[in-house]
Amino acid sequence: MNDSRLDRRSFLSLSGIAALSAAGLGAAAGTASAAGTAGGASPAGAAGAAAALALPPSKLIRVEGNTGPAYFREKAVQRGTVIQSMGFDNVNRRLYFAQLIGGGLQLKGESAPLSGDTRDLHGDLAITEWTLGADTAEGAGSARITGFMYLRGFGHGVGIGVEPSGSSTYLWTEVDAVQDAANGTSRGRRLCRFKFASSSTPLDATSTSLQKFTPVPGSVNNTAGIDPLNNRLVVRYSLNGMHYRIFDLAAARAGDFSTPLAEIAEPAISIDRNRYGQPSFQGYAVAGRYLYMLHGNSYGYTQDHDGDASTPKIVISPPGEGNTHLTSVDLNTGQIIRTFHSKAGYTLPFREPEGLAVQIPKASEPGVFRLCMGFASGDTPGARTASVYYKDSLIQP
């Protein structure tokens, strides 16, 4: 969430209407179904294909229970803004954070520094690259910043896919930001893929170096992630509600989105609204047959949770407890398996959940993986830090 507009993401989450379309952010839970193409018509055979190609059984991360130790805690990021999403290059041991650029920076081709609000409206992002050190015996890790990029005109950074390719890393992000002036933000209309190359010269959404894709015709609010266990691309998009589609990564890279491996509507989580309100959507990740979603708000966040103007707002994310919820979903049925209130990193100042990613700690053990949760922390806007906590209890349903 952008520091300067704390109510905007709440509006996008609570209204049930995506800012850049008439699509809701929280579709009701349901069985796997085909999303519409432009005009709302279902592509012929897509639902049948998704059902016929049901994802095979796989290990499931237990979202309930205690969280492991912090992978790392309160590390500085390139621009000091709140992180939005993250992803691991498990081959080259790198971690990437996507953030809004924030205010005060003048990039090449700009006549003066721009404000954070302007950057948000334009969809200008910062990508921070960290190279990871060896994990210690108890599971904690170390990292150092080894590069950064600036992206202009891309979107809000809600998701980021990280694809290793030899010693290089390619990123999948939203692109072609559509501005929502009423809420001072933007969201990407399409997806793109590009090689990470550290530079202070911005990469523009109009660059011919970008591979651009429209996985679902007529969709908006497109973001991406990658299942590193199975080399699959995960696309979250808005078209008559929020949906997810899973594709073979090699086929998607070649521009072939004709055969989704799975497809579901985004299910609405069920929690104690009088205590935790309606938490903002903050990230997603996929490993095998399962989707994981992250919801929550920063400490002290208030909300008119009952829609009654005559009653006062309540604090839905009290300090020391928060309203962070982690949810597991079966991609073959679209049904929620479990939603759990997580207090991971509860001692962090500010503490806003931001981003989910799958990490494979050891390349020699690809079947052992973690579900990592990102948290923005730090009491001072413009000097936010990043922390990562993880779940690693695997079960075979």
Side-chain angles (χ1 to χ4, degrees):
M1 180 185 297
N2 183 5
D3 287 321
S4 65
R5 293 181 180 272
L6 293 178
D7 286 331
R8 181 169 61 249
R9 178 177 282 182
S10 175
F11 168 78
L12 296 175
S13 297
L14 298 178
S15 67
I17 301 176
L20 308 181
S21 73
L25 281 178
T31 56
S33 62
T37 57
S42 295
L53 298 174
L55 297 176
S58 64
K59 293 178 181 178
L60 170 69
I61 288 279
R62 292 180 70 251
V63 298
E64 64 270 28
N66 293 331
T67 300
Y71 188 66
F72 49 76
R73 181 182 167 104
E74 297 189 277
K75 299 291 187 179
V77 284
Q78 175 62 23
R79 289 292 299 158
T81 56
V82 167
I83 58 174
Q84 299 291 331
S85 57
M86 66 180 187
F88 288 90
D89 177 337
N90 291 297
V91 173
N92 297 298
R93 291 192 62 79
R94 300 175 185 135
L95 170 61
Y96 296 85
F97 283 116
Q99 315 151 240
L100 291 169
I101 286 180
L105 180 66
Q106 181 179 348
L107 295 174
K108 183 178 180 180
E110 298 170 350
S111 60
L114 300 182
S115 69
D117 288 349
T118 299
R119 293 290 186 195
D120 195 355
L121 182 63
H122 290 176
D124 296 347
L125 302 175
I127 306 293
T128 302
E129 177 193 69
W130 292 15
T131 296
L132 305 178
D135 286 3
T136 57
E138 68 271 16
S142 60
R144 59 188 177 90
I145 294 178
T146 50
F148 64 90
M149 291 183 73
Y150 295 128
L151 314 179
R152 286 194 299 205
F154 279 63
H156 198 71
V158 176
I160 184 172
V162 178
E163 177 190 353
S165 180
S167 61
S168 300
T169 304
Y170 283 79
L171 304 182
W172 292 72
T173 70
E174 61 194 288
V175 73
D176 294 342
V178 178
Q179 296 182 9
D180 172 29
N183 293 289
T185 189
S186 64
R187 293 294 188 275
R189 181 171 55 86
R190 305 175 68 192
L191 295 181
C192 69
R193 176 181 181 267
F194 58 91
K195 182 179 178 179
F196 179 86
S198 183
S199 175
S200 59
T201 299
L203 176 64
D204 288 304
T206 55
S207 172
T208 57
S209 66
L210 299 174
Q211 285 181 277
K212 291 187 178 182
F213 309 96
T214 305
V216 182
S219 64
V220 293
N221 293 6
N222 279 275
T223 58
I226 286 178
D227 171 359
L229 306 178
N230 301 281
N231 289 320
R232 295 170 182 156
L233 180 72
V234 185
V235 180
R236 182 178 186 257
Y237 64 95
S238 177
L239 182 63
N240 302 319
M242 293 305 300
H243 297 263
Y244 297 87
R245 283 192 185 185
I246 313 299
F247 299 94
D248 174 78
L249 179 58
R253 188 168 56 238
D256 181 2
F257 296 93
S258 62
T259 309
L261 304 177
E263 184 172 0
I264 63 168
E266 182 172 284
I269 63 173
S270 178
I271 62 174
D272 184 350
R273 300 295 187 192
N274 290 321
R275 183 174 181 180
Y276 301 120
Q278 299 182 62
S280 297
F281 181 89
Q282 301 284 17
Y284 62 97
V286 167
R289 179 174 163 173
Y290 303 103
L291 163 74
Y292 302 91
M293 302 187 301
L294 184 67
H295 291 79
N297 299 92
S298 58
Y299 279 163
Y301 195 89
T302 61
Q303 186 181 89
D304 179 11
H305 72 296
D306 58 6
D308 185 349
S310 66
T311 60
K313 290 184 177 181
I314 64 170
V315 175
I316 62 172
S317 184
E321 179 181 3
N323 67 343
T324 297
H325 284 78
L326 191 59
T327 299
S328 53
V329 181
D330 189 328
L331 282 165
N332 283 341
T333 67
Q335 299 295 321
I336 287 176
I337 300 168
R338 183 71 186 269
T339 295
F340 181 76
H341 173 235
S342 175
K343 293 180 66 176
Y346 72 94
T347 60
L348 290 170
F350 180 76
R351 186 185 180 266
E352 182 175 15
E354 294 278 4
L356 281 180
V358 174
Q359 184 197 21
I360 303 172
K362 297 181 181 179
S364 60
E365 299 179 24
V368 178
F369 58 96
R370 300 166 173 165
L371 181 64
C372 294
M373 297 178 284
F375 290 91
S377 58
D379 288 325
T380 305
R384 305 296 190 192
T385 59
S387 298
V388 176
Y389 287 76
Y390 63 85
K391 297 271 190 177
D392 62 356
S393 177
L394 295 168
I395 58 176
Q396 188 75 55

